[in-house]
């Protein structure tokens, strides 16, 4: 409850310090420059936001997101980072699928799809945001969560990846590690909070996770110390992705066996495989400057653009396939489908 009222308070008192902003959809495509660099198509479908230099081979060290992008779908006009997660599908009783669209948060209703992004210096409820954190370096990237996690113990290795069944747009609890079991009137919110301790050396690592760590004890929120192996405290990046389930909430369309009908684009029906990807791309030291200001949501050093400008920034889909936005599709676009198409 306190969380909701804090955010409500933050919204009506714009002078107060954490960075929170909306981003429209840049593209929904089967590309994954982090895990499957160069592959078109990559195994599963993603929803991607941020700078328009995003492409399948942006893993290369000379790919400077801030220089190569000419627009961003995010509200801060100097943020050319890319942020992405898997896409979500609804499976009808007859076994066909539709992609579940996303919608903007309160205050960002006019944005096209996308999500909300946070960078936090201290816990979400801390209006002062005085705990100093370091911004990421050019070339930095990471992911969190595992698409192959299919049990709660596997999902629990990543403590802060959750689902919230929205009764209304302000619902913030309870959070679960698996998909909500019942229809959610205002949609399903997926929260992804990235680890906050960096080894201070590597911009990436083979699994894209191990250059980062959770605090050694306690949490980021209660200022738990970083482990000696990962001593640099960085901002906590958080995504809120709101899937608009309105068209799929009729119990009569749900499975007769009592299971829930949503499935991630990588085939996960449990929800435990929740994961997200991040590639840093803020212009020069613009992120550090904002993080050095003690501000809550409305940060004077953050240059912004209008929602219309955010909506205008998009790129064409590279992989030409039906992703179930209009008609029902027989299968989720994925590697299984490639195998199916290429077999004689
Ligand atoms: C990605 O962008 C870089 C830089 O503009 C370009 O050199 C490269 O060819 C692009 N790759 C793909 C797969 O489009
Ligand atoms: C499958 O189910 C959907 C949703 O109920 C329906 O709109 C569609 O027409 C059905 N398709 C077939 C081939 O029956
Ligand atoms: C973490 O451990 C340190 C040293 O062992 C201790 O001083 C500190 O209070 C602990 N912090 C939390 C949040 O548990």
């Amino acid at each position: 409850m306190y969380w909701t009222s804090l955010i409500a308070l933050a919204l009506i008192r714009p002078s107060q310090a954490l960075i929170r902003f909306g981003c429209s959809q840049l593209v929904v495509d089967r590309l994954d420059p982090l895990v499957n660099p160069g592959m078109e198509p990559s195994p599963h479908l993603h929803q991607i936001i941020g700078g328009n230099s995003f492409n399948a081979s942006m893993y290369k060290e000379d790919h400077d997101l801030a220089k190569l992008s000419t627009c961003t779908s995010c509200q801060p006009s100097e943020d050319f980072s890319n942020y992405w997660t898997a896409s979500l599908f609804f499976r009808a009783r007859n076994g066909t699928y539709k992609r579940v669209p996303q919608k903007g948060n309160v205050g960002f209703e006019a944005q096209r799809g996308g999500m909300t992004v946070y960078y936090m210096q201290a816990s979400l409820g801390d209006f002062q945001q005085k705990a100093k954190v370091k911004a990421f370096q050019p070339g930095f990237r990471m992911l969190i969560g595992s698409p192959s996690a299919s049990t709660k113990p596997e999902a629990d290795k990543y403590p802060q990846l959750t689902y919230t069944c929205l009764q209304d747009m302000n619902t913030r609890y309870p959070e679960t590690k698996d998909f909500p079991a019942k229809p959610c009137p205002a949609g399903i919110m997926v929260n992804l909070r990235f680890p906050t301790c960096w080894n201070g050396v590597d911009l990436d690592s083979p699994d894209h996770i191990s250059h980062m760590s959770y605090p050694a004890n306690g949490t980021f929120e209660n200022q738990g110390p970083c482990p000696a192996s990962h001593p640099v405290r960085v901002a906590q990046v958080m995504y809120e992705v709101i899937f608009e389930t309105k068209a799929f909430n009729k119990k009569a369309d749900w499975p007769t066996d009592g299971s829930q009908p949503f499935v991630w684009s990588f085939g996960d029906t449990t929800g435990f495989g929740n994961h997200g990807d991040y590639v840093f791309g803020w212009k020069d030291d613009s992120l550090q400057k904002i993080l050095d200001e003690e501000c809550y949501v409305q940060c004077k050093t953050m240059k912004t653009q209008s929602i219309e400008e955010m909506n205008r920034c998009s790129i064409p889909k590279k992989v030409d396939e039906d992703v179930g936005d209009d008609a029902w599709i027989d299968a989720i676009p994925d590697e299984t489908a490639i195998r199916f198409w290429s077999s004689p």
Side-chain angles (χ1 to χ4, degrees), residues 90 92-96 253 328:
F90 170 81
R93 282 188 177 178
N94 62 18
T96 62
D253 296 334
W328 293 87

Side-chain angles (χ1 to χ4, degrees), residues 84-99:
W84 66 93
T85 72
S87 290
L88 191 67
F89 286 90
F90 170 81
R91 188 176 191 272
R93 282 188 177 178
N94 62 18
T96 62
Y97 298 87
K98 256 195 186 180
R99 188 172 73 86

